[in-house]
Every structure is written in structure tokens, then in C-alpha cells.
Amino acid sequence: MDFRLTKEQLLVRKMVREFAENEVKPIAAEIDEEERFPMETVEKMAKLGMMGIYFPKEYGGAGGDVLSYAITVEELAKVCGTTAVIVSAHTSLCCAPIFENGTEEQKRKYLPDLLSGRKIGAFGLTEPNAGTDASGQQTTAVLVGDHYVLNGSKCFITNGSVADTFVVFAMTDAKLGNRGISAFIVEKGFPGFSQGKHEKKMGIRGSSTCDLIFEDCIVPKENLLGKEGAGFKIAMATLDGGRIGIAAQALGIGEGAIDEAIKYTKERVQFKKRISSFQNTQFQLADMHTRMQAAQFLVYNAALKKQAHERCSMEAAMAKLFAAEAASDVTRRAVQLFGGYGYTREYPVERMMRDAKITEIYEGTSEVQRMVIAANLGVK
Amino acid sequence: MKIFVTVKQVPDTSGTVAVNPDGTLDRASMQTIINPDDMNAVEAALTLKDELGCKVVAFTMGPPPAEGMLRELMAMGVDEGVLITAREFGGSDTYATSQIIAAAIDTYGVEPEDIILAGRQAIDGDTAQVGPQIAEKLHLPQVTYAGEIKKDGNTLTVKRILEDGYMTVKVQTPCMITCIKELNQPRYMNIGGIFDCYQKEVITMTYETLKDHPLIDKSTIGLLGSPTNILTSFTPPQKGAGMMLEGDGKETTDKLAGILAAKHII
């Protein structure tokens, strides 16, 4: 396995790191405190091609690769988990399923605006009674003439209140179970569609998370994504890619906490010594770095598999499982190294600890990742 | 219309500075960055390109790894890079360097509408000489310390920012302008640009390419042809941490006076 980055990937890392330091880090605490979606950052990222990194230029993408996308999310997450998930959800959960499953007309219609960042994308799968059990979709879609009529609601939708374009799942034939689920491209302005209450969250507080409500929502027939009944398959394949994005987010959050902890422990003096000189600090940081390095290998491996169009369900699940749990552990340890100051909002590690937790939950909990891995091992 | 931008790789001053036995910088062993003022020149060129659709060509003289810097500039939007590299050019001072770069630009071809932009000065030598010397050697008018550039036909209106005031100068193309940081905020590389930049062309100009140009004479290029002699180079000793006194009352000034008196400064 060769993890040497290409010249292009190294430049992507350099560029995004500079961007994150100069444009994202200075407002990270503020958008968390105020629960404010950083639209100004999205506009800047859009101009730099960060909203459509691994998609072809003919559709308005940047013509990059999946690993560059993972690196981008990682670098953003080092300073701001919120900004990282905005890019991840937009890219992996909306642009990717349209690119991978859309007709040529759908791609030409929706991708240029999404990939250039003129419009933001989101993904509607989770429902109040269909979380980990995504097959229990209660939103329905009924074909009436030249359009589908959707009824139901979605919850915990990342980018929900700011997005213009949604990939939404609904049951077209309940008798068929998973095979009765279909995917649709829904625009914000479609009749009967509305965005519901904003969730007040523990972490990634600058990101928008809300309900989507469908009340006799009219969706043109041509907005069916893939074939009728193929929705569950599309959702699962989309989540395989999405998990790489979230794993990269977790990776970045953990690495960012280590950066902060190294800086702080080299400055903080107790017992007339820098606390970095204590072996406990050194061992903690060594363990933290080792965990995140292992996470990086798993994340990059999954990204390279996806890039090569190889099946990556298990690799993505392992990357997300390990990176998310490592990020939660590493950020918690970082807060401990900061002591009382780490518990305050004067320093970023408490935000990183709050942000890390969600990576163990969304786009499949850690338990779901273990189910996916075990299933791939043939363990029943 | 073309815009030429001259750029230089300089040591990253946040790292350690290494010096060769002859006193010149050991550039190969140091982390490098693109000279900050040169980034303002590049941004000025790209801003004009955005407005006018012209071609931007970056020139640099340095060892082969300097190509990486040209690729970064291409990822920002520069169309073409020219790498001037040869053992014969090594160790050149500003006099020799400007001679070589002027020869390279002249070889590429300067047309009546063209503009040459350079950063005011490089953070390693701080001479601010290369840009003006290139202009002299190419017999072009020059405007230094540009804080604003406007183009109207073949006339450029340049606002110079000087220590004691502003000066607005009109100049005809072709001309040389040196740029300062107040001119603009350099843009970032673009992801799409990054994935294109290795497909773009970097022209390499060696001693062989330039040796027949009238400005290239072995006695006036390279270390031997450089009139500047470096007696010694060294890393300055690190300053101790400063002390901040806060407050605007007598108590603070008394404290300051006490500290200065204790150090026998006053």
C-alpha cells in the first residue's frame, strides 16, 4: 500500500491548510457559539473549487480525486468540524449520488450549480422512526400522472435549512420492503416541500441540521434518481462514500486537537517545568498521534479504493469506525492535558471534543459500522 | 498582450537559515516559500488577466526544484512558467541576476502592450534592485512601489506608495512595475487549477538557451561575474521574549522607568 501523495494532492493539502488557517480558524469559535452557518466561508470555498473536488470538469467539478477530497475535509476539520461536514455532506451525500446514479439530463441540470457551489446539497434518508434501521422508511411517494406525490418527514438533515437541492428517499411500494424504496432529486421550491425546526446540537453547532417536511410535495417524474425501487441500494452506496468524508472529518478533528495540545503543553508551566517535559504528557501525545496516524491510513485507503471504483463498504466502515472513536478519545485526552483551561471556551479543545462525538453517530453509528464490517467478513 | 511576472523562491524565515562556505545561502537545504511581494505581483497580473483576458507568464531563476513554485503559480491561474536554471547562473548577485532574467524575458519576446511585474524586494536580500535593473537592461520605463495599478489602453496609471506620501504616475507599455503588499491580497490556489497545473508548460531556459544573448557574458553572470562580495552570512541571534506593560496611567510609566533604570538604559 503506497500512501505517498501525488504532487497535486500535496498542493491540495497546502492550499486547504492555508485556507483553513486564514479563513476558517478565525471564525470557528464564533460560529459554534452563535450556531451560525458560515455562508461566507462556503462562498469562498466555492470559488476555490472545494465544493466539487472529485467530479469531472465537464459537469463543473474541479477534476480532482477522492483522496484530495478526503484531505480537504481533514484539513478543514483540523480547525473547524462544522466547515468540514458542510463540504462532506454536500459532496458525498448529494453531488455523488446524482453523479453516480443520475441520467445525463439530471447531471447536466443539477451538477453544475452544485459542484461550483452556487447551490448547496443535502441528503434526506433519516426519519424519526428510521435511523439505524433505514429500511423502515415511512415517507411515501405515489406516482400520479407525470409526477410523484411525496408525504412524510425527514430529520437530522445536515445542510437542511441552507440547501437548495436534496436527494430524498421515499417508499414507492411498501410491500417490497427495501426494494420498494426510491430516490428523488427534490428542489427547495417544489410545492409541498418545507424545511422544519433547527436542531440545537452538542457539537458542529455552526452546521445546519433540520427536519424536511413533505406535504403532498410534487416531484416531477423525471426527478426519480435511478430506477424505482433502487433507492435503498443508492442510499447504501452513497453512505459508503459519505463515511469516507466523515472519517476524514473525525481524522482532522483528532489531528487538530493534537496540534493544539502540543502547542499548549510546550507553553504551560507547572512545577517550574513545561508540562510537555512530563512523561505522562509525552506518552499521552505519542498514543494520540499513533491512533490518528492509524486512522489516516484507514481513511486514505478507503479513499483510494473509492477512487479506483473498487467496492469500499468495509474499508469505509472501518475508516469511519476507527477514526471516529479515535477522535473522541484523542479530543477527550486533549481536554485533560489542558486541565481546567481545556474545559473552557477560551481554548478550542472542548469544541473539538463536542464536535468529535457526532462522528460516532451520523452516517451510521459505530455499531452500524461494526455490522457492516462483520457482514463483509461473512459473520452471521 | 502578455504580463510577465518575476518571482523568487526565498527561505522560509520561520525555519533555520543555512549558509554555504562562500557566504551565499544554501537554498537546497532550506524550506522555501514564494517571496511575499512577488505574490502581490502575481495577484496583480491575475487581476489584470481576469479583466482583460491576457496571458500571464511567470519567470524565475533558481535550481530545478523551483519548478514546484511555478506549478503553484499556475494553480493560481498563471498560464505559463519559465525556469531559468544553469550552474553558470549560480551565486549571481542582483546585478548578474537581473541581467540573466532580462535576457530570458527578451528571448521570450516583449511586445508593445506587455507589462513586467515584480515584487518590490525579496525577503532574503531585501535589496529591491532586481526589478529596476531588469527594466534598465531592457530599456523599459519603470514604476516602483505600486500600491494601485489601472490600465487604460497602453497607459497604466500607477499609484506609488512611498514613506512620506503617494505619487501617481502614468506610464506607457511596455514597462516594469514593482509591487508592494498594499496592492492586493494574493489569491489561493484553486483545486481545479492544481489538477491542471502539471499539464501546463514550463519552459526551461539554460545557459545554452541564453548564451548568445547580448546580455549574457560569462564575466558578468554567476558568482564570479557578481560585483557584490558577501563577507559573511549568519543567522541573527534570537531576541528574548518582550515584555508588555499595559495601562496608560502614571503607575505604568513609573514601572517602565524603573525597568529601564534597572537595566541602566536611562
Side-chain angles (χ1 to χ4, degrees):
Chain A
M1 187 63 63
D2 185 358
F3 286 118
R4 275 176 297 186
L5 302 184
T6 64
K7 290 172 180 171
E8 288 88 349
Q9 289 157 353
L10 288 169
L11 285 186
V12 168
R13 185 186 291 290
K14 181 177 180 182
M15 181 283 252
V16 181
R17 189 171 288 175
E18 283 175 13
F19 177 83
E21 278 294 318
N22 298 336
E23 315 289 339
V24 181
K25 191 176 181 179
I27 61 167
E30 173 200 319
I31 62 171
D32 173 70
E33 189 70 31
E34 296 175 2
E35 295 190 290
R36 180 175 72 76
F37 185 88
M39 192 58 89
E40 71 275 33
T41 307
V42 174
E43 285 167 7
K44 289 175 190 171
M45 292 194 294
K47 282 185 188 158
L48 296 172
M50 291 162 71
M51 301 301 276
I53 294 170
Y54 67 84
F55 302 95
K57 291 197 172 179
E58 63 172 306
Y59 296 111
D65 55 38
V66 179
L67 184 48
S68 292
Y69 158 67
I71 290 168
T72 298
V73 174
E74 175 190 2
E75 289 298 328
L76 292 170
K78 279 184 184 175
V79 300
C80 179
T82 283
T83 307
V85 75
I86 293 167
V87 173
S88 180
H90 166 87
T91 305
S92 292
L93 300 185
C94 186
C95 301
I98 294 175
F99 176 70
E100 287 162 10
N101 303 286
T103 62
E104 193 56 29
E105 290 74 21
Q106 288 171 336
K107 289 197 245 185
R108 297 271 168 212
K109 182 174 181 185
Y110 289 104
L111 290 178
D113 280 343
L114 286 167
L115 302 183
S116 62
R118 284 190 293 272
K119 290 189 174 169
I120 296 174
F123 175 85
L125 176 68
T126 302
E127 297 184 359
N129 295 314
T132 293
D133 179 15
S135 60
Q137 296 283 306
Q138 290 178 345
T139 299
T140 57
V142 178
L143 184 60
V144 181
D146 61 355
H147 60 263
Y148 284 91
V149 179
L150 269 63
N151 277 290
S153 68
K154 301 287 173 182
C155 62
F156 303 141
I157 306 305
T158 305
N159 289 347
S161 66
V162 292
D164 309 272
T165 308
F166 300 81
V167 171
V168 171
F169 298 84
M171 196 62 93
T172 40
D173 190 342
K175 296 192 297 293
L176 296 176
N178 285 351
R179 290 184 184 165
I181 298 171
S182 301
F184 301 89
I185 304 172
V186 175
E187 294 178 33
K188 188 168 69 173
F190 282 176
F193 171 76
S194 59
Q195 290 138 308
K197 74 174 168 66
H198 168 76
E199 297 290 349
K200 291 179 83 70
K201 305 187 294 291
M202 170 182 172
I204 55 163
R205 284 157 51 91
S207 74
S208 151
T209 308
C210 75
D211 293 347
L212 305 180
I213 298 148
F214 305 88
E215 289 172 307
D216 292 332
C217 173
I218 307 293
V219 178
K221 196 176 164 185
E222 62 267 25
N223 278 33
L224 175 71
L225 183 63
K227 289 184 180 154
E228 201 173 281
F232 192 74
K233 204 173 157 192
I234 291 173
M236 293 304 113
T238 299
L239 287 171
D240 285 344
R243 284 166 189 161
I244 298 172
I246 299 307
Q249 182 201 18
L251 170 63
I253 293 171
E255 290 174 327
I258 294 172
D259 290 345
E260 293 294 335
I262 290 174
K263 197 170 93 187
Y264 182 80
T265 56
K266 281 181 171 178
E267 289 167 0
R268 173 75 168 163
V269 173
Q270 289 288 278
F271 303 103
K272 296 180 180 166
K273 284 180 177 174
R274 286 177 289 112
I275 62 170
S276 62
S277 68
F278 297 131
Q279 201 169 47
N280 174 59
T281 308
Q282 294 165 1
F283 282 10
Q284 289 285 342
L285 284 164
D287 285 348
M288 290 155 74
H289 179 66
T290 304
R291 286 202 75 172
M292 294 325 299
Q293 182 67 76
Q296 190 182 56
F297 287 157
L298 284 170
V299 175
Y300 287 10
N301 179 47
L304 288 172
K305 282 248 178 193
K306 181 166 172 61
Q307 182 64 37
H309 305 289
E310 292 173 24
R311 198 161 178 274
C312 64
S313 297
M314 185 164 77
E315 288 75 13
M318 291 191 299
K320 182 177 177 296
L321 169 65
F322 189 85
E325 293 192 347
S328 280
D329 175 49
V330 161
T331 52
R332 182 186 55 76
R333 293 200 209 194
V335 170
Q336 193 68 20
L337 287 171
F338 274 68
Y341 288 109
Y343 197 67
T344 71
R345 294 200 178 178
E346 196 177 331
Y347 289 95
V349 286
E350 64 81 30
R351 169 168 51 82
M352 292 168 163
M353 183 175 156
R354 288 185 283 109
D355 287 353
K357 183 61 198 170
I358 189 61
T359 65
E360 294 183 88
I361 298 171
Y362 61 10
E363 296 198 32
T365 59
S366 288
E367 291 71 25
V368 165
Q369 308 313 320
R370 289 184 169 93
M371 286 160 64
V372 171
I373 297 161
N376 273 273
L377 292 173
V379 181
K380 292 181 183 173
Chain B
M1 176 192 169
K2 299 184 294 295
I3 304 179
F4 302 112
V5 193
T6 61
V7 288
K8 184 180 186 184
Q9 262 192 324
V10 293
D12 184 349
T13 47
S14 61
T16 313
V17 175
V19 179
N20 289 317
D22 64 10
T24 56
L25 289 171
D26 178 7
R27 295 179 187 276
S29 71
M30 288 185 286
Q31 291 290 315
T32 57
I33 56 169
I34 305 174
N35 182 50
D37 281 353
D38 298 353
M39 290 295 279
N40 297 105
V42 170
E43 179 57 40
L46 294 175
T47 305
L48 285 167
K49 178 187 168 182
D50 291 344
E51 281 171 31
L52 309 165
C54 56
K55 182 178 179 182
V56 176
V57 186
F59 282 74
T60 193
M61 187 171 94
E67 183 192 329
M69 172 184 64
L70 293 173
R71 298 291 178 192
E72 288 185 36
L73 300 177
M74 289 171 168
M76 291 167 66
V78 166
D79 298 291
E80 206 172 276
V82 177
L83 174 64
I84 309 160
T85 188
R87 288 217 175 274
E88 290 85 346
F89 301 152
S92 292
D93 68 359
T94 64
Y95 176 83
T97 299
S98 57
Q99 195 131 286
I100 298 161
I101 295 175
I105 292 173
D106 195 40
T107 300
Y108 191 99
V110 180
E111 293 171 310
E113 289 197 329
D114 294 349
I115 304 167
I116 306 172
L117 299 176
R120 171 186 53 180
Q121 65 194 55
I123 55 169
D124 51 359
D126 270 343
T127 67
Q129 292 167 354
V130 171
Q133 288 189 87
I134 291 172
E136 285 300 311
K137 280 159 187 163
L138 293 174
H139 306 291
L140 297 177
Q142 58 174 290
V143 184
T144 52
Y145 308 118
E148 200 176 290
I149 303 170
K150 284 181 186 156
K151 187 172 187 297
D152 183 11
N154 282 4
T155 304
L156 296 181
T157 306
V158 182
K159 182 179 174 185
R160 305 180 69 208
I161 300 183
L162 307 171
E163 277 185 9
D164 53 355
Y166 302 117
M167 180 190 288
T168 300
V169 179
K170 285 196 174 183
V171 61
Q172 295 292 310
T173 62
C175 60
M176 153 69 80
I177 297 169
T178 73
C179 305
I180 60 175
K181 71 172 189 297
E182 288 80 0
L183 179 59
N184 52 41
Q185 177 66 43
R187 68 190 65 186
Y188 295 97
M189 288 182 273
N190 181 294
I191 304 252
I194 289 171
F195 281 91
D196 283 344
C197 73
Y198 282 92
Q199 267 76 56
K200 290 183 181 176
E201 191 178 5
V202 166
I203 299 168
T204 302
M205 291 193 182
T206 62
Y207 177 72
E208 281 300 307
T209 319
L210 299 175
K211 69 177 189 224
D212 296 327
H213 192 281
L215 285 169
I216 300 297
D217 177 338
K218 269 205 167 168
S219 66
T220 58
I221 60 166
L223 184 63
L224 292 174
S226 294
T228 314
N229 289 312
I230 300 167
L231 298 178
T232 178
S233 296
F234 57 92
T235 306
Q238 290 225 322
K239 281 188 190 171
M243 184 190 292
M244 276 303 273
L245 298 180
E246 296 203 10
D248 51 9
K250 188 168 184 309
E251 196 182 312
T252 314
T253 53
D254 285 349
K255 197 171 174 188
L256 175 63
I259 293 168
L260 294 174
K263 290 179 182 286
H264 306 291
I265 295 170
I266 55 172

